[in-house]
Amino acid sequence: MTEFLDLEIQDSVRMPWNVLPGTKAHAANCAIPIAAIYTPLKTLPEATPLLPYSPLRCRGCRSVINPFSIVDFSSVNKIWICSFCLQRNHFPPLYQSISEQNFPAELFPQYTTIEYETPAPQPQDKAQPGSTNVFLFVVDTCVIEEELSFLKSAMLQVLGMVPENCLIGLITFGTYVHVHELGFGLIPKIHVFKGTKEVTKDQLLDQMGFFTKRPRPTTGVIAGVRDGLSQESVGRFLLPASDCEFVLNSILEELQKDPWPVPSDQRAARCTGAALSLAAHLLGACVPGSGARIMAFLGGPSTEGPGTIVSKSLSEPIRSHKDLDKDSAPHYHKAVKFYEALSKQLVHQGHVLDVFACALDQVGVAELKVAVEKTGGLVVLAESFGHSVFKDSLRCIFQAGDHDLGLASNGIFEINCSKDIKVQGIIGPCASLDKKGPLCSETVIGQGNTTAWKLCGLDKNTSLCIVFDVAKKESPDIVSQSANNQFYFQFLTYYQHSNGQMRLRATTLSRRWVAGPGIKDIHCSVNGHDQGLEHIDRERKELISGFDQEAAAVVMARQVSFKMETEAEFDPIRWLDKSLIHICTQFGEYQKDNPSSFGLSPRLSIFPQFMFHLRRSQFVQVFNNSPDETAYFRMILNRENVSNSVVMIQPSLISYAFNSGPEAALLDVVSIAADKILLLDSYFTIVVFHGASIAQWRKAGYHELPEHQAFAQLLQAPRSDTDAIIRERFPVPRLVICDQHGSQARFLLVKLNPSATYNSDTQAAPGGDIIFTDDVSFEVFSDHLQRLAVQ
C-alpha cells in the first residue's frame, strides 16, 4: 500500500487499477471500474515550485506541456511533441534558453503535478468585489429562543475571524424573508418579501430600489457593477467585514424569534426556499462570478412557499425512506425540482450554497443535496446550534493557519487522456459544463457527457471520482499491443486561490496497459500450442500488482451510493456481493469446487473485509437513519479523499491498556475487555469506550490519587488522540464517551464484527461482551464467499 500512498503525495491521485486491463472486454470483466480519485487542491510537497507565468499548451488538444512530452533540442526552433495527440509544437521566445542541461520546471520528471499563477488585477476600491470573497448569511428565525441565542453567539464569534476585505450580507427568514441593509448603520433598514411565492430577479431589483438614483439600463442582463448596477447600490447590502462589523453585531444581538404565532397543532411557517432563492438573486445581481457563498443556517423543515418539504399540519409526518421508496412523499419531487433549478442558477453565477442544519427533526437536507453538491458547498448536520459539532465546524471555515480548509472558488476542471480511453463521468461535488468531444463515453456515470466541469467551491480535501471506459478493442497483434503500452491522462484545475490570484494546477499521469489478454477465460495460441494459462497467469499477476484495495473500496462505495439514488429497483447488497464474488473468481487462487483451497494475494486480501463493512455501513443500510442523515453521509463520502473515506467504510479501532502503548485492535467484539479503553473512529463519530473495570476505577476516583498516576495517564491518552483527530477534521465529528454495558456503548457495538452474538456458539471472553444481532459475522461471510467463488 505504501507505493500508492507515495503516488498520492506526489500527484494527489489514487486508482483501484494502477495497471490497466488491455481491452474493453477485459475491463468489463474486472468488476471494479477503471477510475481515479483525484484531490485537486491537496497540499503539494514543499519542493514543488509555483510558476509565475501561463502554461504552454498543445495547439492540437490543448493539453499542458509535462514531463512525458518529448523535446527535440536539435531543431533550430526547439520543438516539443505532445504525449496525448503527438502534435509538434514550437517553444515561444520565453523558452529560448532551454537545453538538455537547462530544463524548465514543468519538464522535470518529479514535477508531474505543477502549479501556475497568473496575477489578478487588484480592485481600486476595497468595497468593490474583484477577487474578494463574499459571505451571505441566511438565518432561520423560526426556532426557540434558546436555539436562536446559541446561533447568534456562534455567528458573533466567527464575525471577528472573517478577513477584513471580505464582503458580508445578511438575510433572515421565518414566515417572511428580511433582507437587511448594512450600508446605512444609523437606522436599521429591512426589505421584506412574502415567503409563499418565488420572487424574480427583476422584482428584487425593483423592490429594493437599486435604480432610484440612476436610470435602469434598457438592454442586457443586470449583473454587477459592470452591467449597470452602481457600487453604491451593492454597498447597501454587501459591505467589507471591517466596515459593517458594528452594524452586523447590533442586528444579530437584537435579532428576535419569528413573531408570527404558531397554533399548537401546526409547525412554524418557514419559507426556506424563498429565502435561498432571494439570496441567489441578490448575489447574481451584485457580485456575479465572484467567490460568493450563501451560508444557510436552518433550524427546521420548510413548510411554506417553494421548496416545501412538509405541510404545516403536525398530523402529516416528515417523509421517511419508506415514503420515498413507495413514492408517497407528496412534496419531495417538487422540492427537488426547485433546488435543481436553484443549483443551475448558482452554478451559472459561480456561487456556492453551504448548509448548516441543526435540529432534532429533519430540515430537508435530502432535497437540498442537489444544490449543495453541484456548487461544491459544505454541509454540517447537528442536533442543535449549541452542539460542538456545529460551533467548531463553523469556526473551522474561518480559521487561518495549519488547519484551515484551504477554501478556493470559481474552479473549472478539465480532463485530457490517451485516445484508447474515454470519460464516463464524475461522482463528486461538481457540475457538468457540457463540453462534449471524442473523449466522452456513451455510458454515463454521475456528471457525464463532458470533459469539463464547474467547481464553484472546493477545498484541500475536495476529491472527485472520475470513472473511465476502456475504448480499446481486441487486437490480434499482441506484439504491437505490448510495444506501446503506456497510457497518459492529465487533470487541469483552474481556480481562484484564497489570496485572490487565479491558478492552474496540472497533474499528468502515466499508467501502463496489460499487454494482451488479461483474464482467466481468455486463451491465446502461440505457434499452434495452447500457451493461454501461462499468459493469463502472468497478466493476472500484473493486474493484481497494481490493485489498490483502499481506492477500490471507495470507488465501490461512491458507485453503490450513486446507484441507490438513481436506479429505482436497485438492490445494493446483491450488486456488491456479485461484484465481490466476480473479483474473487477472477483473481483468487483455488481448485474448482474446493472452498478450502481458496486464497487471495496480499494485494487483494483486505478487499472482502472492506466490502463486508460497506454492506453494513450507513451508506447502504438506510434503516434507522432519516433521508436527511443518509443524504448527509453520502455528500461527505462523495467529497472526501481516500484515507478519510476508508475510515467511514471501515472504522479504525485503537486499544489502550496498562501493559502496552496504544495499538491497533481488530474491529471485532472480541477486542472488548474489562481492563482496556477502546477508541473508535468512524469519521462522523468518535467513541471513547471504557471497559467495565476501567469505568469502575474511574467512578471510584482512583485517577485523582497521586499513587495512581499511571491510571490517570491511561485515561488521558485516548482523549489526547481524540483532540488531534478533531483538529484535523471537517465537519467536526461527534464525540461519545461511554462505558461498557452503558446505553451509549451502542455507538461502538454497531460498528464491530459480531463474531460473538446471543445465538452463536462463540462465547464472550471473561470481561468481554456479546452483540445482540442477527447479522452474520465476517467469518460466516468469508465462508459463503469462498464457496461461491470456486463454483
Side-chain angles (χ1 to χ4, degrees):
M1 204 67 78
T2 46
E3 73 266 44
F4 303 133
L5 294 173
D6 291 342
L7 288 171
E8 186 180 23
I9 289 167
Q10 185 178 335
D11 289 320
S12 318
V13 171
R14 293 281 289 272
M15 295 180 71
W17 303 103
N18 288 279
V19 176
L20 306 188
T23 64
K24 192 178 183 74
H26 304 161
N29 233 339
C30 281
I32 297 162
I34 311 300
I37 293 179
Y38 179 56
T39 312
L41 300 194
K42 187 176 166 70
T43 310
L44 290 174
E46 281 182 22
T48 310
L50 179 64
L51 305 181
Y53 49 84
S54 297
L56 192 53
R57 307 195 70 153
C58 169
R59 58 198 175 97
C61 65
R62 304 297 296 147
S63 63
V64 170
I65 191 170
N66 58 76
F68 304 108
S69 305
I70 301 158
V71 180
D72 181 2
F73 293 106
S74 60
S75 62
V76 181
N77 293 329
K78 297 193 183 72
I79 282 171
W80 64 277
I81 299 164
C82 173
S83 49
F84 293 92
C85 66
L86 305 178
Q87 170 82 41
R88 297 169 72 82
N89 299 278
H90 289 285
F91 280 101
L94 172 70
Y95 288 80
Q96 282 312 303
S97 61
I98 69 167
S99 67
E100 289 179 54
Q101 287 74 42
N102 183 23
F103 265 31
E106 53 266 56
L107 290 176
F108 275 53
Q110 68 268 39
Y111 296 147
T112 42
T113 294
I114 200 140
E115 198 151 308
Y116 302 84
E117 181 172 82
T118 47
Q122 291 297 319
Q124 281 78 44
D125 175 16
K126 73 170 178 174
Q128 183 179 329
S131 59
T132 48
N133 286 319
V134 184
F135 297 100
L136 178 54
F137 298 115
V138 179
V139 178
D140 178 359
T141 57
C142 279
V143 290
I144 58 171
E145 293 287 357
E146 187 185 27
E147 281 295 299
L148 191 61
S149 65
F150 285 145
L151 176 55
K152 291 195 297 191
S153 143
M155 288 182 71
L156 288 166
Q157 269 188 355
V158 299
L159 279 178
M161 299 165 74
V162 178
E164 287 187 1
N165 64 333
C166 288
L167 302 184
I168 293 183
L170 177 67
I171 292 176
T172 56
F173 72 94
T175 309
Y176 290 85
V177 184
H178 304 93
V179 183
H180 295 259
E181 265 200 40
L182 306 178
F184 194 70
L186 304 174
I187 306 169
K189 196 171 177 185
I190 297 169
H191 297 260
V192 181
F193 294 84
K194 206 169 183 182
T196 49
K197 60 180 184 179
E198 206 174 336
V199 177
T200 65
K201 189 172 167 184
D202 286 336
Q203 288 171 325
L204 173 124
L205 290 168
D206 291 339
Q207 190 170 329
M208 287 166 62
F210 274 97
F211 298 105
T212 48
K213 294 188 179 177
R214 61 191 281 185
R216 184 184 178 125
T218 49
T219 57
V221 176
I222 295 160
V225 180
R226 294 196 205 114
D227 298 324
L229 222 59
S230 69
Q231 186 56 55
E232 188 187 353
S233 296
V234 175
R236 285 161 53 206
F237 302 99
L238 299 171
L239 270 178
S242 53
D243 295 358
C244 70
E245 194 172 352
F246 176 73
V247 181
L248 208 51
N249 281 350
S250 310
I251 293 171
L252 286 174
E253 279 167 7
E254 289 169 20
L255 193 61
Q256 298 294 312
K257 177 181 178 291
D258 189 58
W260 296 90
V262 182
S264 59
D265 62 340
Q266 289 195 357
R267 297 179 176 92
R270 182 185 278 108
C271 56
T272 309
L276 293 176
S277 179
L278 270 164
H281 289 324
L282 181 64
L283 291 178
C286 295
V287 286
S290 67
R293 307 186 82 96
I294 297 171
M295 304 186 85
F297 301 92
L298 311 179
S302 176
T303 57
E304 208 164 58
T308 295
I309 72 155
V310 68
S311 73
K312 282 189 280 197
S313 170
L314 281 168
S315 61
E316 182 192 313
I318 296 184
R319 78 278 175 284
S320 64
H321 277 296
K322 197 175 270 184
D323 297 326
L324 297 181
D325 290 342
K326 290 180 178 172
D327 207 10
S328 59
H331 310 279
Y332 180 76
H333 294 293
K334 199 175 172 187
V336 170
K337 198 174 174 185
F338 167 74
Y339 286 118
E340 273 174 354
L342 181 70
S343 75
K344 282 178 186 159
Q345 180 188 344
L346 288 170
V347 167
H348 176 69
Q349 294 170 186
H351 297 152
V352 180
L353 173 63
D354 298 326
V355 170
F356 299 85
C358 297
L360 286 168
D361 209 342
Q362 299 183 71
V363 305
V365 173
E367 287 83 353
L368 277 157
K369 179 177 187 282
V370 60
V372 176
E373 213 159 39
K374 286 199 174 178
T375 61
L378 304 170
V379 60
V380 174
L381 194 68
E383 292 169 3
S384 155
F385 287 116
H387 202 291
S388 62
V389 169
F390 165 69
K391 291 190 295 187
D392 295 347
S393 298
L394 182 62
R395 212 174 296 125
C396 281
I397 294 171
F398 297 100
Q399 75 184 3
D402 293 344
H403 301 295
D404 73 330
L405 296 183
L407 291 179
S409 53
N410 281 322
I412 289 177
F413 179 70
E414 287 187 20
I415 294 179
N416 271 309
C417 43
S418 297
K419 63 181 174 61
D420 290 319
I421 206 148
K422 293 185 186 298
V423 181
Q424 290 189 358
I426 288 181
I427 302 174
C430 62
S432 166
L433 284 176
D434 293 321
K435 185 186 174 186
K436 294 181 173 61
L439 291 177
C440 297
S441 168
E442 290 169 16
T443 315
V444 174
I445 289 181
Q447 304 286 319
N449 263 332
T450 180
T451 55
W453 294 261
K454 179 80 176 170
L455 303 169
C456 297
L458 63 168
D459 58 62
K460 62 186 181 188
N461 273 351
T462 302
S463 301
L464 306 171
C465 176
I466 307 125
V467 185
F468 298 102
D469 195 5
V470 176
K472 203 174 185 182
K473 298 286 192 289
E474 197 71 60
S475 165
D477 186 359
I478 291 166
V479 179
S480 72
Q481 271 196 317
S482 56
N484 182 24
N485 69 348
Q486 282 305 103
F487 155 71
Y488 305 100
F489 52 91
Q490 188 174 68
F491 302 142
L492 301 175
T493 314
Y494 308 81
Y495 70 99
Q496 188 174 345
H497 191 267
S498 53
N499 65 10
Q501 307 288 28
M502 290 306 294
R503 291 188 177 185
L504 167 66
R505 184 176 292 196
T507 295
T508 312
L509 303 170
S510 168
R511 294 289 186 271
R512 63 186 177 83
W513 303 104
V514 169
I519 302 293
K520 279 187 179 177
D521 55 358
I522 295 163
H523 282 240
C524 64
S525 182
V526 179
N527 297 331
H529 300 292
D530 189 9
Q531 300 289 319
L533 292 175
E534 203 177 301
H535 268 282
I536 289 158
D537 204 44
R538 191 188 73 240
E539 285 136 16
R540 206 157 46 93
K541 282 177 181 168
E542 279 189 64
L543 280 173
I544 292 170
S545 72
F547 186 69
D548 181 344
Q549 306 179 75
E550 290 186 347
V554 176
V555 168
M556 293 298 274
R558 285 206 194 192
Q559 235 191 331
V560 78
S561 298
F562 176 73
K563 283 174 174 285
M564 285 178 79
E565 287 179 355
T566 54
E567 296 180 20
E569 297 300 313
F570 179 68
D571 183 343
I573 299 288
R574 186 177 170 77
W575 182 79
L576 287 170
D577 287 352
K578 279 179 75 175
S579 303
L580 180 58
I581 292 164
H582 194 85
I583 284 278
C584 290
T585 303
Q586 296 292 355
F587 297 102
E589 299 286 342
Y590 56 87
Q591 293 159 5
K592 194 164 168 49
D593 295 328
N594 181 3
S596 61
S597 68
F598 182 83
L600 279 174
S601 152
R603 292 276 186 181
L604 284 151
S605 57
I606 313 172
F607 186 68
Q609 206 171 301
F610 284 141
M611 291 299 98
F612 171 74
H613 289 290
L614 176 58
R615 291 164 91 256
R616 303 177 75 227
S617 73
Q618 64 270 50
F619 307 116
V620 174
Q621 301 293 344
V622 297
F623 175 75
N624 234 359
N625 285 330
S626 67
D628 271 18
E629 287 171 317
T630 300
Y632 170 68
F633 295 140
R634 288 177 181 164
M635 272 194 273
I636 304 289
L637 173 76
N638 283 350
R639 60 173 292 122
E640 277 301 329
N641 59 30
V642 170
S643 54
N644 283 343
S645 301
V646 165
V647 173
M648 297 178 208
I649 296 165
Q650 180 177 305
S652 71
L653 190 65
I654 298 170
S655 169
Y656 300 80
F658 279 112
N659 51 5
S660 62
E663 55 187 23
L666 279 175
L667 191 63
D668 193 302
V669 68
V670 299
S671 295
I672 294 176
D675 60 346
K676 284 183 179 175
I677 302 175
L678 296 176
L679 170 60
L680 177 92
D681 177 9
S682 66
Y683 193 84
F684 300 102
T685 308
I686 292 176
V687 184
V688 178
F689 175 94
H690 301 100
S693 303
I694 300 272
Q696 220 174 338
W697 298 334
R698 190 196 67 234
K699 286 170 188 168
Y702 289 172
H703 58 293
E704 290 161 2
L705 303 174
E707 64 267 30
H708 292 299
Q709 203 80 46
F711 182 50
Q713 286 167 356
L714 178 65
L715 287 177
Q716 185 53 43
R719 295 303 300 270
S720 304
D721 290 349
T722 299
D723 293 344
I725 295 168
I726 288 174
R727 272 198 301 277
E728 295 282 335
R729 191 162 293 169
F730 181 90
V732 168
R734 176 181 181 177
L735 176 60
V736 175
I737 296 170
C738 60
D739 299 335
Q740 190 174 356
H741 311 307
S743 64
Q744 289 197 307
R746 66 185 189 279
F747 285 100
L748 172 76
L749 297 177
V750 73
K751 295 292 182 186
L752 300 180
N753 172 34
S755 59
T757 67
Y758 72 99
N759 65 356
S760 68
D761 299 333
T762 315
Q763 295 302 308
D769 222 326
I770 59 165
I771 296 178
F772 290 86
T773 180
D774 290 325
D775 285 359
V776 298
S777 67
F778 180 62
E779 292 72 20
V780 175
F781 176 77
S782 290
D783 291 344
H784 281 281
L785 175 63
Q786 288 173 16
R787 206 169 62 245
L788 292 165
V790 301
Q791 281 174 5

